[in-house]
Amino acid sequence: MRSDTLPKGISIHPIPAFNDNYIWCINDDKHAVVVDPGDATPVLSYLRENALKLAAVLITHHHYDHTGGIAKLASAVKELPIIGPRGGHIKGLTKTVAQGDTVALPVIDMSLQVLEVPGHTLDHIAFFGHGALFCGDTLFSAGCGRLFEGSPEQMLHSMNKLKRLPDSTKIYCAHEYTQANVNFALAAEPDNNDLKNYALWVKEKREHNECTLPGVLGEQKKINPFLRSHEPSVKDAAEAFTSTSLSDDVAVFAAVRRWKDEF
């Protein structure tokens, strides 16, 4: 079996939750693993409708819209593995993991590597394997998460860590923020033709209320301003926003993130 593709018979589906969350369900025709179940109710409904047995839960960070369903799922499934970041601050985890650890999911024939990606929160991790990245609120399509706990330097380091993954990597982030992110990206890089083409695709998808995810890393490197702090066009836009000369990529990233917060 190739390590850069999903095992035969495995698919990944978004379970909508709240206003714009996606709880990702990795499944075959019998078993499922869910990522960041902020709400147990839609998960249990999806499992019931598709005759799936919940085999494990993966958690990327402590925010309630990613963890709120843990207790109910644990009550519904005895001895349910619930795997998330170390620190002892997330109630209900049965196993904690850190950078370099491997999460084995033999029931669906998958194995995921753990990446520490602080920035949005200090405890944030991502799970990567088989060409798929489950990155919570770190990297979005055409955007990135707000810096609630980490510094711009930490977040840029996390972005650069993710950029080093294969360009074919599919990005399963946890929110349908793509349209708003594209609107901002166009303000930052109005002459980016790749971005303009992507914006047309996103507009059509959202007009039909269709999911815009997963993104593909190679494409994101062309259109996502938070992966492009090194590009002169992004630097020029950030300097125009701040009316100052920005000395390095961290300063550019920080300015672009602040601009997005105010956009």
Side-chain angles (χ1 to χ4, degrees), residues 38-66:
D39 185 355
T41 301
V43 173
L44 293 171
S45 295
Y46 185 87
L47 296 173
R48 185 170 57 251
E49 291 165 5
N50 293 277
L52 296 170
K53 181 179 179 181
L54 186 60
V57 172
L58 304 179
I59 301 293
T60 63
H61 66 291
H62 65 82
H63 284 164
Y64 187 76
D65 64 322
H66 297 251

Side-chain angles (χ1 to χ4, degrees), residues 140-143 176 178-179 181-182 185-186 192-205 212-216 219-220 222-224:
F140 293 126
S141 180
E176 183 57 73
T178 311
Q179 183 66 74
N181 287 341
V182 163
L186 284 168
N192 183 328
N193 288 325
D194 292 310
L195 176 58
K196 285 191 271 190
N197 290 333
Y198 186 70
L200 292 173
W201 177 84
V202 170
K203 183 175 184 290
E204 183 176 353
K205 295 287 281 188
T212 61
L213 303 171
V216 179
E219 183 173 49
Q220 289 296 311
K222 297 177 182 178
I223 62 104
N224 187 331

